[in-house]
């Protein structure tokens, strides 16, 4: 054991000197005052190459056509990708659109966001209130509800698909109480219901944790004062808890919306690719399939859809920043 | 035990538990069941024999009918419980003829007994199939997926810690022009989720010749705004006097970073390490796009490909699901405190 430790120590020391020697050399050349830039450089290079460069490229992609990935091989087509996405006779009926798949995905995503956000907010708020109230076992239950957050979306999708399987546990419970079996994942309503339910199951622990932190930041003496005054409990909730929690809830709300717009992984695995049919095909899946999973790889069209989604996310983020500032 | 009773009978007021107490407990217990049951169901199912896994109605525990060898019969026979004249006997089933079952007593294999099929039921015993776990590792690519996932997670975490702590060090322990601008630029990348820039990011990885290469999965993930933020906030609390003292001793800037600041940042580094491991272990969309040959798949991508290809092999799919869930669960059980505290303090995930 000690041998392993000393070996590891030597190894780490050796690795450190690989980094340390060039750092010290650079310091001798440029002087200590410029060193912060050297420390930031690797991070900035990664951000530059994998985040900022792609943002710039995204715009170029959105204005070019063809199926080549290399930008110089792609013909400039102006706004064609956008007109293709947005040419609709009636924006509320996807099949009247030229790119009906995009509008189906938009419609599915909008419904998903509305229902998931409201469901998640309700469930997390109730759970946080309950956890704030109890005096013992808080740590345990907080941990229980948080555990699914750490699971991989693929695992979550598969665990639930198995639970909801025709021969699964839920169907056997249904039969036990005298009902018919339901093939959940082939039914439009039930598959949507479960995609939303599983999303809430998956992530509610995270939002509960944030709301709980907000609840525990409310000074206890306010409650004590209310108790002395004999204020009814529901009034305490509507007149003290809720207003004081508002800034926290707003952050949760916007965070939730930003995340839900990007729904993909667990829904994709749970519904085995967005089915039945296109009932659970969301925006990110549309982008993924348009660019990477179809025979004709329409990078330009996918980029135009990404730009549209990016604009929505940007607006939501700006709202969040504005509200956060107002709350301060 | 007494603490549980104590706990459950705890009251808010003087008059015993009121309605909201009961509702609270109901909510928590039902919630716990909803969290636990699907995972427990997948876990016990992953141990079932392939022939048992699709049986309906299912048994919760991994059980299978008992098979025994009976003298004079070549193949093994199923053991059944038969009711004969009010007695229950364990007999082996030879064959069914109409509504009659031809059975034999394993103790006395010479004589056959006919029993109506309505009077027999199979004898079952706990039967676990470890091959659900070993087969995919041997026959399919899962050992490779596992290795790839371990490699990606380890490398990405080491690099994340190194790069982000260096940037955090620069942003918290130096005063220089453009520092705030740099901090804002780094934090602003939070607003650019991968799903928005996925097409051009793919081009960049193509340009770097890293398609179908694990480094193409690792490199884009190692600079994280949340990591820089977390570490910077922590480093701000380290007193500058320590650094001044080291400078007077003519330590190089890197030595100050490595020997003075980094050891003091250990708690924040630990939190970031836990998150990084979980993030990278669970990543799905980006590896799905970058990795092409099954030899390069990570566990998540491999699992998804496998479930698409062998939709009926649930015994293998569930076993590998459990294998993918195990490391995260172990981390959670031991480090749950740090994770929840980390999120409550920074709001990162």
């Amino acid at each position: 054991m000690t041998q392993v430790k000393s070996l590891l120590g030597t190894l780490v020391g050796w690795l450190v000197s690989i980094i340390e020697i060039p750092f010290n050399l650079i310091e001798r050349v440029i002087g200590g005052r410029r060193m912060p830039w050297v420390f930031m450089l690797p991070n900035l290079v990664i951000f530059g190459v994998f985040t900022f460069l792609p943002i710039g490229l995204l715009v170029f992609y959105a204005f070019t056509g063809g199926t080549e990935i290399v930008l110089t091989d792609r013909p400039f087509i102006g706004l064609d990708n956008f007109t293709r996405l947005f040419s609709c006779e009636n924006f509320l009926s996807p099949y009247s659109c030229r790119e009906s798949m995009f509008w189906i995905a938009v419609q599915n995503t909008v419904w998903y966001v509305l229902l998931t956000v409201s469901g998640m907010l309700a469930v997390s708020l109730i759970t946080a209130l309950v956890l704030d109230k109890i005096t013992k076992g808080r740590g345990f239950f907080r941990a229980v509800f948080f555990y699914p957050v750490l699971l991989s979306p693929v695992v979550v999708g598969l665990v639930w698909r198995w639970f909801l399987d025709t021969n699964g546990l839920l169907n056997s419970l249904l039969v036990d109480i005298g009902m018919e079996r339901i093939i959940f994942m082939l039914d439009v309503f039930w598959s949507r219901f479960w995609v939303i339910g599983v999303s809430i199951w998956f992530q509610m622990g995270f939002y509960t944790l944030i709301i709980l932190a907000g609840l525990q930041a409310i000074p206890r003496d306010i409650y004590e004062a209310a108790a002395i005054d004999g204020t009814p409990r529901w009034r305490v909730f509507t007149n003290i808890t809720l207003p004081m929690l508002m800034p926290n809830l707003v952050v949760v709300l916007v965070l939730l919306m930003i995340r839900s717009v990007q729904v993909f992984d667990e829904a994709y695995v749970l519904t085995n690719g967005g089915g039945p049919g296109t009932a659970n095909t969301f925006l990110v899946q549309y982008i993924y399939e348009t660019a990477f999973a179809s025979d004709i790889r329409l990078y330009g069209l996918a980029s135009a859809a990404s730009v549209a989604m990016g604009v929505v996310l940007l607006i939501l983020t700006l709202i969040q920043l504005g509200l956060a500032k107002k709350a301060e | 035990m007494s603490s549980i009773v104590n706990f459950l009978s705890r009251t808010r007021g003087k008059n015993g538990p009121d309605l909201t107490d009961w509702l609270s407990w109901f909510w928590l217990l039902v919630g716990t069941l909803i969290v636990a049951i699907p995972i427990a169901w997948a876990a016990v199912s992953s141990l079932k024999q392939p022939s048992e896994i699709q049986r309906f109605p299912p048994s919760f525990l991994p059980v299978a009918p008992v098979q025994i060898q009976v003298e004079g019969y070549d193949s093994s026979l199923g053991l059944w419980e038969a009711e004969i004249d009010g007695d229950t006997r364990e007999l082996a089933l030879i064959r069914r003829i109409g509504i009659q079952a031809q059975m034999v007593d394993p103790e006395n294999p010479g004589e056959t007994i006919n029993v109506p099929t309505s009077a027999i039921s199979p004898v079952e015993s706990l039967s676990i199939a470890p091959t659900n776990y070993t087969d995919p590792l041997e026959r399919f690519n899962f050992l490779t997926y596992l290795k790839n996932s371990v490699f990606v997670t380890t490398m990405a975490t080491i690099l994340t810690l190194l790069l982000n702590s260096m940037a955090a060090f620069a942003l918290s322990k130096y005063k220089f022009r453009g520092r705030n601008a740099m901090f804002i630029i780094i934090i602003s990348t939070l607003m650019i989720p991968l799903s928005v820039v996925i097409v051009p990011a793919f081009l960049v990885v193509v340009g770097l010749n890293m398609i179908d290469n694990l480094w193409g999965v690792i490199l884009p993930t190692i600079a994280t705004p949340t990591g820089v933020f977390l570490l910077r906030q922590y480093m701000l609390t380290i007193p500058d006097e320590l650094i001044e003292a080291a400078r007077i001793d003519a330590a190089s800037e890197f030595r100050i970073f490595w020997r003075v600041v980094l050891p003091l940042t250990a708690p924040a580094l630990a939190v970031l390490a836990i998150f990084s491991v979980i993030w990278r272990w669970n990543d799905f969309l980006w590896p799905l796009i970058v990795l092409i040959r099954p030899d390069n798949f990570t566990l998540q991508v491999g699992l998804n490909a496998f479930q698409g290809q062998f939709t009926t092999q649930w015994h293998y799919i569930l076993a590998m699901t459990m294998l993918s869930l195990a490391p995260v669960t172990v981390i959670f059980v031991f480090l749950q405190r740090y994770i929840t505290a980390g999120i409550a303090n920074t709001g990162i995930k």
Side-chain angles (χ1 to χ4, degrees):
Chain A
M1 195 60 206
T2 45
Q3 266 182 333
V4 173
K5 254 187 183 164
S6 70
L7 189 74
L8 238 118
T10 336
L11 207 71
V12 170
W14 198 62
L15 279 170
V16 170
S17 54
I18 292 182
I19 317 172
E20 187 167 9
I21 290 166
F23 264 85
N24 290 349
L25 276 176
I26 296 168
E27 189 181 335
R28 243 175 251 165
V29 177
I30 66 167
R33 302 194 57 194
R34 293 201 188 95
M35 281 308 279
W37 292 100
V38 181
F39 279 110
M40 276 193 306
L41 191 67
N43 222 281
L44 293 181
V45 168
I46 297 286
F47 276 132
V49 171
F50 293 107
T51 306
F52 292 110
L53 179 63
I55 295 172
L57 291 172
L58 181 66
V59 180
F60 284 105
Y61 267 103
F63 291 107
T64 56
T67 55
E68 297 291 328
I69 181 76
V70 180
L71 213 52
T72 46
D73 297 345
R74 298 175 59 83
F76 181 81
I77 57 165
L79 285 168
D80 278 12
N81 286 322
F82 289 96
T83 31
R84 178 167 171 185
L85 279 185
F86 287 94
S87 57
C88 264
E89 278 166 33
N90 174 2
F91 281 100
L92 291 178
S93 78
Y95 288 104
S96 75
C97 302
R98 197 166 145 216
E99 192 60 28
S100 51
M101 206 45 242
F102 174 71
W103 288 99
I104 291 170
V106 167
Q107 215 169 53
N108 287 341
T109 308
V110 168
W111 277 113
Y112 171 86
V113 170
L114 288 177
L115 294 170
T116 305
V117 167
S118 41
M120 186 96 78
L121 208 57
V123 172
S124 311
L125 181 62
I126 295 172
T127 311
L129 285 169
V130 168
L131 287 179
D132 186 49
K133 198 188 83 148
I134 62 172
T135 45
K136 243 188 183 175
R138 185 186 295 146
F140 171 77
F141 286 109
R142 197 175 60 179
V144 166
F145 293 126
F146 187 73
Y147 174 66
V149 177
L150 301 179
L151 300 181
S152 96
V154 179
V155 164
V156 171
L158 288 174
V159 162
W160 274 93
R161 207 158 101 202
W162 178 239
F163 185 72
L164 302 170
D165 191 84
T166 323
N167 296 328
L169 192 62
L170 190 63
N171 267 315
S172 110
L173 294 176
L174 286 184
V175 169
D176 281 349
I177 59 167
M179 287 166 68
E180 290 281 309
R181 276 202 261 185
I182 302 171
I183 307 175
F184 291 108
M185 285 304 144
L186 290 183
D187 183 277
V188 171
F189 170 79
W190 282 113
S191 63
R192 285 177 171 160
F193 174 87
W194 284 112
V195 165
I196 292 164
V198 170
S199 297
I200 294 174
W201 181 88
F202 187 14
Q203 298 292 341
M204 65 81 87
F206 174 72
Y207 299 101
T208 301
L209 209 61
I210 296 189
I211 298 174
L212 183 62
L215 280 174
Q216 299 198 319
I218 300 175
R220 297 285 128 170
D221 39 358
I222 302 184
Y223 289 127
E224 281 159 25
I228 292 167
D229 291 347
T231 319
R233 225 183 283 168
W234 63 273
R235 292 208 74 154
V236 174
F237 178 72
T238 52
N239 292 8
I240 301 175
T241 312
L242 215 48
M244 298 211 54
L245 195 63
M246 243 341 150
N248 185 296
L249 284 182
V250 168
V251 172
V252 167
L253 182 73
V254 181
L255 210 60
L256 241 170
M257 282 204 271
I258 293 174
R259 293 246 181 92
S260 321
V261 171
Q262 301 173 64
V263 56
F264 173 69
D265 304 6
E266 68 273 18
Y268 185 75
V269 177
L270 177 64
T271 62
N272 206 0
T278 56
N280 289 289
T281 304
F282 300 109
L283 253 178
V284 172
Q285 191 187 335
Y286 170 80
I287 294 169
Y288 164 71
E289 283 180 347
T290 308
F292 301 107
S294 55
D295 295 333
I296 308 158
R297 294 182 152 210
L298 298 172
Y299 298 113
L301 194 64
S303 297
S306 301
V307 170
M309 189 172 87
V311 168
V312 172
L313 291 176
L314 188 70
I315 293 169
L316 289 174
T317 312
L318 292 177
I319 293 174
Q320 183 192 19
L321 287 179
L323 290 171
K325 212 163 223 172
K326 212 171 144 193
E328 270 173 25
Chain B
M1 191 62 209
S2 68
S3 71
I4 295 174
V5 174
N6 213 342
F7 176 45
L8 288 174
S9 57
R10 177 182 314 280
T11 57
R12 172 181 267 276
K14 305 165 203 99
N15 311 322
D18 66 4
L19 187 65
T20 52
D21 285 318
W22 288 113
L23 285 176
S24 298
W25 284 107
F26 180 74
W27 180 266
L28 290 178
L29 293 177
V30 169
T32 305
L33 287 179
I34 293 174
V35 168
I37 286 175
I39 298 172
W41 171 240
V44 290
S45 297
S46 77
L47 295 168
K48 286 182 180 176
Q49 301 287 353
S51 54
E52 287 301 300
I53 198 157
Q54 288 281 5
R55 194 174 70 177
F56 194 89
S59 61
F60 191 78
L61 290 173
V63 293
V66 177
Q67 299 279 323
I68 54 164
Q69 286 292 337
V70 180
E71 224 182 295
Y73 296 90
D74 294 335
S75 53
S76 56
L77 304 175
L79 194 63
W80 294 66
E81 222 162 51
E83 254 189 76
I84 302 166
D85 307 329
D87 282 352
T88 316
R89 293 173 65 188
E90 286 194 354
L91 300 174
L93 178 71
I94 306 167
R95 66 177 77 82
R96 287 166 196 258
I97 307 161
I99 56 157
Q100 288 289 315
Q102 206 176 68
M103 309 189 85
V104 62
D105 190 339
E107 312 279 287
N108 179 17
E111 142 200 35
T112 59
I113 310 160
N114 284 331
V115 187
T117 47
S118 57
I120 62 171
S121 59
V123 174
E124 289 179 333
S125 71
L126 215 57
S127 167
I128 283 166
T131 46
N132 292 352
Y133 284 83
T134 50
D135 279 0
L137 292 175
E138 284 162 10
R139 283 178 22 216
F140 305 106
N141 263 328
F142 275 95
L143 204 58
T144 319
Y145 302 158
L146 199 61
K147 275 189 218 151
N148 291 338
S149 267
V150 169
F151 178 77
V152 167
T153 307
T154 318
M155 281 302 162
T157 301
I158 291 172
L159 289 171
T160 300
L161 291 180
L162 185 68
L163 258 65
N164 292 352
S165 61
M166 289 200 314
F169 174 60
L171 289 169
S172 61
K173 291 293 152 210
Y174 292 93
K175 288 198 176 73
F176 58 96
R177 244 162 115 210
R179 184 178 74 167
N180 287 339
M182 277 298 133
F183 184 59
I184 290 169
I185 286 173
I186 288 177
I187 292 302
S188 71
T189 58
L190 266 178
M191 283 193 261
I192 305 144
L194 175 74
S195 52
V196 172
V197 291
I198 206 146
V199 174
F202 180 75
L203 167 76
V204 170
V205 174
V206 169
L208 294 171
N209 205 7
M210 282 185 192
I211 286 299
D212 205 15
N213 182 329
L214 291 177
W215 286 103
V217 175
I218 295 168
L219 286 183
T221 62
I222 58 176
T224 63
T226 42
V228 175
F229 180 74
L230 182 81
L231 295 175
R232 174 187 174 267
Q233 298 308 91
Y234 199 87
M235 284 180 184
L236 284 175
T237 64
I238 297 172
D240 288 335
E241 287 79 11
L242 291 173
I243 293 166
E244 297 305 325
R247 278 219 182 95
I248 292 167
D249 291 345
S252 71
E253 299 299 313
F254 185 82
R255 190 155 276 265
I256 293 172
F257 164 68
W258 193 262
R259 295 276 173 197
V260 180
V261 174
L262 218 47
L264 292 171
T265 320
L269 284 172
V271 171
L272 181 60
I274 296 168
F275 279 109
S276 174
V277 166
I278 293 167
W279 286 332
R280 300 295 81 90
W281 185 262
N282 290 344
D283 267 345
F284 178 59
L285 180 58
W286 183 243
L288 179 70
I289 289 167
V290 173
L291 304 174
I292 293 157
R293 279 182 307 131
D295 281 351
N296 287 325
F297 282 177
T298 59
L299 199 53
Q300 309 302 333
V301 179
L303 194 55
N304 179 57
F306 185 82
Q307 65 89 13
Q309 209 176 347
F310 301 95
T311 37
T312 53
Q313 311 265 28
W314 271 106
H315 52 296
Y316 289 148
I317 296 172
L318 288 172
M320 292 303 103
T321 302
M322 286 300 125
L323 195 69
S324 154
L325 178 137
V328 172
T329 308
V330 170
I331 290 176
F332 178 72
V333 168
F334 288 103
L335 304 174
Q336 173 279 116
R337 230 166 240 287
Y338 301 95
I339 300 172
T340 44
I343 285 181
N345 294 339
T346 60
I348 67 170
K349 197 203 79 178

